[in-house]
Amino acid sequence: MTAKQQAILDAALQLFAREGYAGTATSKVAKTAGVSEGLIFRHFGNKQGLLDAILEQGREHAKQAFAKVVMEADPKKRIEKALEVPYTINQRDYELWRLIYAIKWQTQQYDNSMYDPVRLVLTDAFKQLKYADPKAETELLLMYLDGMATALLLHEPDNKAAILEALKQKYDL
Amino acid sequence: MTAKQQAILDAALQLFAREGYAGTATSKVAKTAGVSEGLIFRHFGNKQGLLDAILEQGREHAKQAFAKVVMEADPKKRIEKALEVPYTINQRDYELWRLIYAIKWQTQQYDNSMYDPVRLVLTDAFKQLKYADPKAETELLLMYLDGMATALLLHEPDNKAAILEALKQKYDL
DNA sequence: TGTAAGTAAGTGATTGCTTACTTACTTAAA
DNA sequence: TTTAAGTAAGTAAGCAATCACTTACTTACA
């Protein structure tokens, strides 16, 4: 990965997140990156390839974010760590996450299977803790995470900490 | 509102929701609606005006969806009705909601004040029920609603009813 | 060691096509 | 007969993608 290649990816991420994928011209990406337009197509083939390269980096970030949840042995702590995931997102990665959340409404094939490993370990945790419907609890928790992440990315509520506290109480944490 | 005007709105909603606002050409809207392209600009001024007209209809739908929550006097029932809101969305309005959810990631000015009346009555309900932090509880509930609506619109989980049940339990309902 | 051959990175002008929007005109109804 | 609804054929700007070309650097070998 050369410096200019990374510059293209950075510029594209910024522009795609702010103006949308279809709303961003490759010429603008090139200008922002300080690079000729042709270089984009040499390195990434076409515009879609550029988006794919960004989303690939995003998938790595997601894996990292959930790694600590999957690795946790204690079921109660596992659930607690899952609830905290949205809070662990680094502010400088917000643009990447905003793009990922925007894209999932634009493409018809929403890839929900990405979270299957997390699903597995959460269902197991709820089972160990004798919850009535572990699978439903898992889906519910994932919905919370989605709503929480949306709130953080779009309007960053002032009482973040209190909200997390209220949520933890519902799981006796 | 003439028949052709409504045909334009219907076609635009369908296309904007499926292919995105920037990804949809006005010529395609015209073709889908069975109308000349010029008519779109006569009635709605420009492409943005067309989107605005659709979103205005959306705001009316949202008001209606939350009306029963705001009107409920009993605090416990009020919370219960709020939790059920995503389930009351009519399947034929899904395209409209998908567009609204997609748009909020594309425009920078996310209008969160729209839910302020709901916020007010929910905070009041939690206060009456002696919750420790009524405002945090309200934000948490709104986040759940957002996550639930997202799930319903994007991948319709098979255990919808069980998830709602698990959630209601957390509020002793 | 000197140089010829090879290669990946990078440029910017140009391509054919699509875009949002306009214009000049026709139709229909009150 | 006025006016709103509607059309078909534009226009200029913007689009993704390609092109022939240059630059910077590495490798092979006489």
Side-chain angles (χ1 to χ4, degrees):
Chain A
M1 177 86 60
T2 68
K4 297 214 169 184
Q5 238 167 324
Q6 191 59 53
I8 291 169
L9 285 176
D10 292 346
L13 168 57
Q14 191 194 101
L15 290 168
F16 287 174
R18 292 180 192 175
E19 334 250 355
Y21 170 71
T24 302
T26 51
S27 61
K28 202 171 182 184
V29 173
K31 202 174 179 183
T32 304
V35 141
S36 73
E37 197 179 354
L39 195 60
I40 291 173
F41 295 92
R42 167 161 301 278
H43 285 312
F44 302 100
N46 54 25
K47 196 184 175 185
Q48 181 68 46
L50 181 55
L51 177 61
D52 290 344
I54 293 169
L55 293 182
E56 183 51 42
Q57 289 190 342
R59 252 170 251 125
E60 282 308 310
H61 278 253
K63 256 189 208 161
Q64 268 190 292
F66 280 108
K68 279 176 192 163
V69 177
V70 179
M71 298 300 285
E72 177 60 59
D74 181 67
K76 271 205 137 176
K77 282 185 184 170
R78 199 185 295 163
I79 289 166
E80 187 167 23
K81 287 204 164 137
L83 297 178
E84 288 165 354
V85 162
Y87 289 79
T88 67
I89 299 173
N90 199 307
Q91 194 100 17
R92 70 163 187 279
D93 293 330
Y94 270 28
E95 226 141 33
L96 174 62
W97 285 104
R98 268 193 279 263
L99 176 62
I100 291 170
Y101 270 78
I103 287 294
K104 83 176 171 191
W105 291 100
Q106 280 164 20
T107 57
Q108 21 268 69
Q109 74 280 12
Y110 170 52
D111 187 17
N112 191 46
S113 66
M114 187 179 135
Y115 299 105
D116 280 352
V118 190
R119 274 197 176 83
L120 212 67
V121 299
L122 282 178
T123 306
D124 174 73
F126 284 122
K127 216 173 274 175
Q128 284 190 52
L129 296 172
K130 311 283 183 208
Y131 274 71
D133 192 334
K135 284 202 169 178
E137 290 290 345
T138 299
E139 292 307 316
L140 182 59
L141 197 153
L142 288 177
M143 284 174 193
Y144 266 127
L145 293 187
D146 202 56
M148 180 67 88
T150 300
L152 290 175
L153 291 171
L154 280 185
H155 52 88
E156 188 87 26
D158 44 333
N159 54 345
K160 285 170 53 169
I163 294 170
L164 182 59
E165 209 43 55
L167 178 57
K168 283 188 179 179
Q169 247 178 37
K170 296 195 172 23
Y171 294 94
D172 300 310
L173 294 170
Chain B
M1 178 85 61
T2 69
K4 296 212 170 183
Q5 239 168 323
Q6 192 58 53
I8 291 169
L9 285 176
D10 292 346
L13 169 57
Q14 189 194 103
L15 290 167
F16 287 174
R18 292 181 192 174
E19 333 251 355
Y21 171 71
T24 301
T26 51
S27 61
K28 202 170 180 184
V29 174
K31 201 174 179 183
T32 304
V35 141
S36 74
E37 197 180 354
L39 195 61
I40 292 173
F41 294 93
R42 168 167 299 282
H43 285 311
F44 303 101
N46 55 27
K47 195 184 176 184
Q48 181 68 46
L50 181 54
L51 177 62
D52 291 343
I54 294 168
L55 293 181
E56 183 50 43
Q57 290 190 342
R59 251 170 251 124
E60 282 308 310
H61 278 254
K63 257 189 208 162
Q64 268 192 291
F66 280 109
K68 280 177 192 163
V69 178
V70 179
M71 299 301 285
E72 178 60 58
D74 180 67
K76 271 205 138 172
K77 281 187 185 168
R78 197 186 295 163
I79 289 167
E80 187 168 22
K81 287 205 164 139
L83 297 178
E84 288 165 353
V85 162
Y87 290 80
T88 67
I89 299 173
N90 199 306
Q91 194 102 15
R92 70 164 187 276
D93 293 329
Y94 270 28
E95 225 142 34
L96 174 61
W97 285 104
R98 266 193 280 263
L99 176 61
I100 291 170
Y101 270 78
I103 286 294
K104 81 176 173 192
W105 292 100
Q106 280 164 21
T107 57
Q108 18 270 71
Q109 74 278 13
Y110 170 54
D111 188 17
N112 190 47
S113 66
M114 187 177 134
Y115 298 105
D116 281 351
V118 190
R119 275 198 176 83
L120 213 67
V121 299
L122 283 177
T123 305
D124 173 71
F126 284 122
K127 216 173 274 175
Q128 284 189 52
L129 296 172
K130 311 282 182 208
Y131 273 73
D133 192 335
K135 283 203 169 179
E137 290 289 346
T138 299
E139 291 307 315
L140 183 57
L141 197 155
L142 288 177
M143 283 175 194
Y144 157 72
L145 292 186
D146 203 57
M148 179 58 106
T150 300
L152 290 176
L153 291 171
L154 279 185
H155 52 87
E156 190 87 23
D158 45 333
N159 53 346
K160 285 170 55 170
I163 294 169
L164 182 60
E165 210 45 54
L167 178 59
K168 282 188 179 179
Q169 247 176 39
K170 296 191 171 27
Y171 293 95
D172 299 312
L173 295 170

